């Protein structure tokens, strides 16, 4: 059995690529820790009963001051952690060939399969520990730096609240344990021998159970508003609603990521029937031979597309809601002769912009993982590709087959992710109603100086309300889908640079 000190030392050594992988995995753990700590802070905000509503009067933004809106913030933070966790999985794929060679060397030196798996899991766990501890430090430092009350003494963020100690320990210790458990589970399909690393390929036809996950997650998501109304009516804790929403979104994300296997299998069967060109036929055969390749390759990219579409839909919902408020206030101001000034909602849209930035960063990291997967696929099939070249198949045909094999399942999977993300946002509502609203003003304005003056000159106007439909953000969805496809094209182009070397005829030599 490897001693803990030796296991720790071996988990920290490696090439520059191993260092980059550890740093990126730690960065993903840092983002996850900060996200969960922020959600725990919002949950810990105390609420003061204030007549008709529950408020926290020490905060300026309504997102934090109002208990009902804080629930949405908590759910949004939990949902944001899902693509970050997916990014951690993509980061673990970087430099996999070099790591596999190092693990095989340890097996050749006498290490057992269990020791090798423990070493690989320890590497991920150490990166998780570094990231979670750094995330706690960033959270505590940011809490002090952002504690800046305005001229009225109101705080822009809940920097005066600290989550319970048990939640801090649970988050900081739980994320590395979760990363280690995921790494150990993934290594169950890996066979490390002294001569190399082999992965057990999943056999059989992919089932349609990912579709059930997507549908079930959407059903849970559409129950969000009724559950919030039910909890508000009974003054029940809303953290349970946040957990339910997180579970539904997680089910949708898993369904979208794993459903690519079924899409690849069906796409391969269709291509095999209708294709006439060699490149398409070769891609169809490879899609049906290993349909799970797409699920492994596109998981992070599709999760980012899913939550990018959900964020675009949520932004459209916010714009419709604020638009309805402004229309009612404008009409009331016109009827009363009062000046009208639109409300400043930049805080809310800035928060959405931060989520969009996180999605873009996720797309970049997922694209890097996709490039690694394409290169790995080319390297793994180097002997088969070299044999095809030796029999007269042009390398251009092989390059086009890799392109078709990558993009054929990705296009419908991207459409599914865009649709599912849009439906998640539509669960908030397809229209927004504001009103009825009532306002009281003095006519003329300067005539009301005493309560008796208000009795004589006060006027009351009631507006029945405004209903604004929530549009589907087609432009943002098209831009997101096109960006994902362009990123895939770019990464495939990078991977094809290795094709000539991987199809050298010397690969046919017996070793």
């Amino acid at each position: 059995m490897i001693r803990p000190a030796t296991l720790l030392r071996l988990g920290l050594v490696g090439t520059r690529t191993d260092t980059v992988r550890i740093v990126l995995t730690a960065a993903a753990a840092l983002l996850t820790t900060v996200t969960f700590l922020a959600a725990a802070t919002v949950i810990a905000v105390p609420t003061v009963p204030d007549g008709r509503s529950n408020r926290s009067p020490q905060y300026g933004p309504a997102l934090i001051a109002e208990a009902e809106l804080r629930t949405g913030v908590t759910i949004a933070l939990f949902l944001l952690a899902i693509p970050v966790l997916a990014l951690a999985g993509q980061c673990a794929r970087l430099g996999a060939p070099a790591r596999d060679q190092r693990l095989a060397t340890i097996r050749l030196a006498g290490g057992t399969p269990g020791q090798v798996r423990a070493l690989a899991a320890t590497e991920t766990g150490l990166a998780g520990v570094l990231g979670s501890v750094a995330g706690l430090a960033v959270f505590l430092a940011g809490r002090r730096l952002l504690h800046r009350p305005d001229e009225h003494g109101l705080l822009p963020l809940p920097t005066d609240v600290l989550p319970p100690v048990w939640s801090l320990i649970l988050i900081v210790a739980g994320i590395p344990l979760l990363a280690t458990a995921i790494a150990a589970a993934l290594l169950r399909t890996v066979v490390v021998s002294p001569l190399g690393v082999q992965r057990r390929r999943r056999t059989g036809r992919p089932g349609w159970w990912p579709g059930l996950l997507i549908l079930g997650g959407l059903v849970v998501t559409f129950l969000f508003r009724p559950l919030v109304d039910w909890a508000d009516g009974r003054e029940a804790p809303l953290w349970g609603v946040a957990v339910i929403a997180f579970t539904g979104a997680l089910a949708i994300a898993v369904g979208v990521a794993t459903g690519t296997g079924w899409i690849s299998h069906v796409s391969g069967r269709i291509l095999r029937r209708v294709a006439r060109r060699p490149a398409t036929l070769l891609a169809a055969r490879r899609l049906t031979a290993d349909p799970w390749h797409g699920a492994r390759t596109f998981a992070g990219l599709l999760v980012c597309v899913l939550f990018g579409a959900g964020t675009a839909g949520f932004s459209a919902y916010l714009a419709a809601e604020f638009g309805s408020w402004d229309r009612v206030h404008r009409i009331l101001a016109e009827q009363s002769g009062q000046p009208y000034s639109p409300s400043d909602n930049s805080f809310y849209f800035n928060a959405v912009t931060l989520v969009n930035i996180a999605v873009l960063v996720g797309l970049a990291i997922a694209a890097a993982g996709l490039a690694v997967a394409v290169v790995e696929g080319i390297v793994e099939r180097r002997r088969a590709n070299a044999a095809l070249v030796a029999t007269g198949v042009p390398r251009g045909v092989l390059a086009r087959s890799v392109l078709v094999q990558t993009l054929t399942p990705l296009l419908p999977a991207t459409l599914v992710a865009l649709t599912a993300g849009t439906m998640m946002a539509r669960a908030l509502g397809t229209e927004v109603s504001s009103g009825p609203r009532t306002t009281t003003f003095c006519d003329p304005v300067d005539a009301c100086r005493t309560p008796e003056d208000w009795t004589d000159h006060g006027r009351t106007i009631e507006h029945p309300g405004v209903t604004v439909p929530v549009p589907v953000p087609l432009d943002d969805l098209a831009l997101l889908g096109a960006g994902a496809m362009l990123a895939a094209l770019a990464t495939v182009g990078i991977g094809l640079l290795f094709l000539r070397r991987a199809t050298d005829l010397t690969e046919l030599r017996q070793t």
Side-chain angles (χ1 to χ4, degrees):
M1 183 176 180
I2 301 180
R3 292 180 299 177
T6 304
L7 192 64
L8 180 64
R9 181 169 55 84
L10 292 177
L12 293 175
V13 300
T15 62
R16 293 181 179 178
T17 306
D18 296 315
T19 303
V20 171
R21 181 177 61 253
I22 292 176
V23 170
L24 291 177
T25 305
L30 184 151
L31 292 175
T32 306
T33 303
V34 172
T35 303
F36 277 119
L37 290 176
T41 302
V42 175
I43 293 176
V45 170
T47 300
V48 178
D50 184 18
R52 295 172 298 173
S53 61
N54 296 324
R55 293 181 55 84
S56 299
Q58 69 269 35
Y59 304 113
L63 279 175
I64 306 299
E66 298 184 11
E68 293 80 5
L69 296 180
R70 280 203 303 272
T71 303
V73 175
T74 304
I75 294 174
L77 289 172
F78 275 120
L79 296 182
L80 182 62
I82 296 178
V84 177
L85 290 173
L87 296 182
Q90 287 295 115
C91 294
R93 293 180 57 87
L94 297 176
R99 180 180 58 181
D100 292 348
Q101 184 177 3
R102 181 160 50 89
L103 296 178
T105 303
I106 295 175
R107 283 283 285 121
L108 188 61
T112 64
Q115 292 173 341
V116 171
R117 294 191 185 95
L119 175 60
T122 300
E123 178 185 292
T124 305
L126 289 175
V129 170
L130 294 176
S132 61
V133 173
L136 177 62
V138 169
F139 171 76
L140 295 177
R143 181 172 171 271
R144 295 181 64 88
L145 292 175
L146 298 177
H147 187 76
R148 297 179 180 179
D150 60 11
E151 61 274 9
H152 303 290
L154 299 178
L155 295 173
L157 295 171
T159 51
D160 60 331
V161 177
L162 192 66
V165 177
W166 65 265
S167 64
L168 295 177
I169 297 175
L170 180 63
I171 293 172
V172 174
I175 290 176
L177 292 177
L178 179 62
T180 304
I182 293 175
L186 293 176
L187 288 172
R188 291 182 60 187
T189 61
V190 176
V191 179
V192 183
S193 67
L195 300 179
V197 176
Q198 297 179 350
R199 288 170 173 80
R200 300 188 186 100
R201 299 296 184 186
R202 300 183 65 173
T203 59
R205 180 181 302 179
W208 41 269
W209 59 267
L212 294 179
L213 279 178
I214 297 175
L215 293 177
L218 288 176
V219 169
V220 173
T221 303
F222 273 89
L223 292 176
F224 167 69
R225 291 299 292 268
L227 287 175
V228 171
D229 296 338
W230 177 86
D232 286 342
R234 291 165 175 78
E235 297 184 357
L238 294 177
W239 62 266
V241 180
V243 172
I244 293 174
F246 177 81
T247 304
L250 182 61
I252 296 173
V254 173
V256 168
T258 56
T260 314
W262 182 84
I263 293 175
S264 299
H265 180 77
V266 174
S267 300
R269 293 183 61 184
I270 294 175
L271 283 180
R272 192 168 57 184
R273 292 180 180 179
V274 302
R276 296 295 180 268
R277 296 184 176 276
T280 311
L281 289 171
L282 183 58
R285 183 66 184 89
R286 288 175 174 174
L287 285 173
T288 54
D290 185 15
W292 298 105
H293 176 76
R296 297 189 299 268
T297 305
F298 307 132
L301 186 68
L302 293 176
V303 170
C304 291
V305 171
L306 171 70
F307 284 93
T311 303
F314 179 69
S315 179
Y317 179 84
L318 281 182
E321 186 171 23
F322 294 143
S324 67
W325 293 353
D326 288 340
R327 286 178 59 181
V328 171
H329 294 159
R330 185 185 300 110
I331 294 173
L332 292 175
E334 292 174 355
Q335 293 179 354
S336 62
Q338 302 294 323
Y340 167 74
S341 58
S343 57
D344 184 14
N345 302 313
S346 59
F347 175 81
Y348 304 93
F349 291 104
N350 289 338
V352 174
T353 301
L354 291 178
V355 177
N356 287 327
I357 293 175
V359 170
L360 291 178
V361 173
L363 284 175
I365 298 178
L370 178 60
V372 172
V374 172
V375 174
E376 286 180 352
I378 293 174
V379 172
E380 286 180 359
R381 292 189 295 267
R382 61 186 182 275
R383 292 181 61 84
N385 290 334
L388 290 173
V389 172
T391 58
V393 177
R395 287 187 173 88
V397 172
L398 297 179
R400 288 191 294 273
S401 70
V402 173
L403 185 64
V404 173
Q405 181 187 359
T406 302
L407 298 184
T408 298
L410 181 59
L411 179 58
T414 301
L415 294 177
V416 171
L418 290 173
T419 303
T422 304
M423 293 300 293
M424 288 172 58
R426 303 292 284 182
L428 296 173
T430 57
E431 60 182 19
V432 177
S433 298
S434 181
R437 295 294 178 91
T438 302
T439 184
T440 301
F441 65 97
C442 187
D443 186 18
V445 178
D446 298 332
C448 300
R449 301 182 181 277
T450 64
E452 292 78 10
D453 294 338
W454 277 100
T455 303
D456 297 334
H457 300 283
R459 291 180 56 193
T460 300
I461 298 177
E462 182 174 354
H463 190 275
V466 171
T467 299
V468 177
V470 180
V472 178
L474 296 177
D475 294 340
D476 294 337
L477 296 178
L479 185 62
L480 179 62
M485 298 303 296
L486 289 176
L489 281 173
T491 54
V492 171
I494 294 174
L496 292 178
L497 297 177
F498 296 85
L499 182 62
R500 176 171 293 275
R501 182 178 179 181
T503 55
D504 192 275
L505 297 183
T506 57
E507 297 290 344
L508 297 177
R509 293 178 180 176
Q510 298 292 332
T511 57

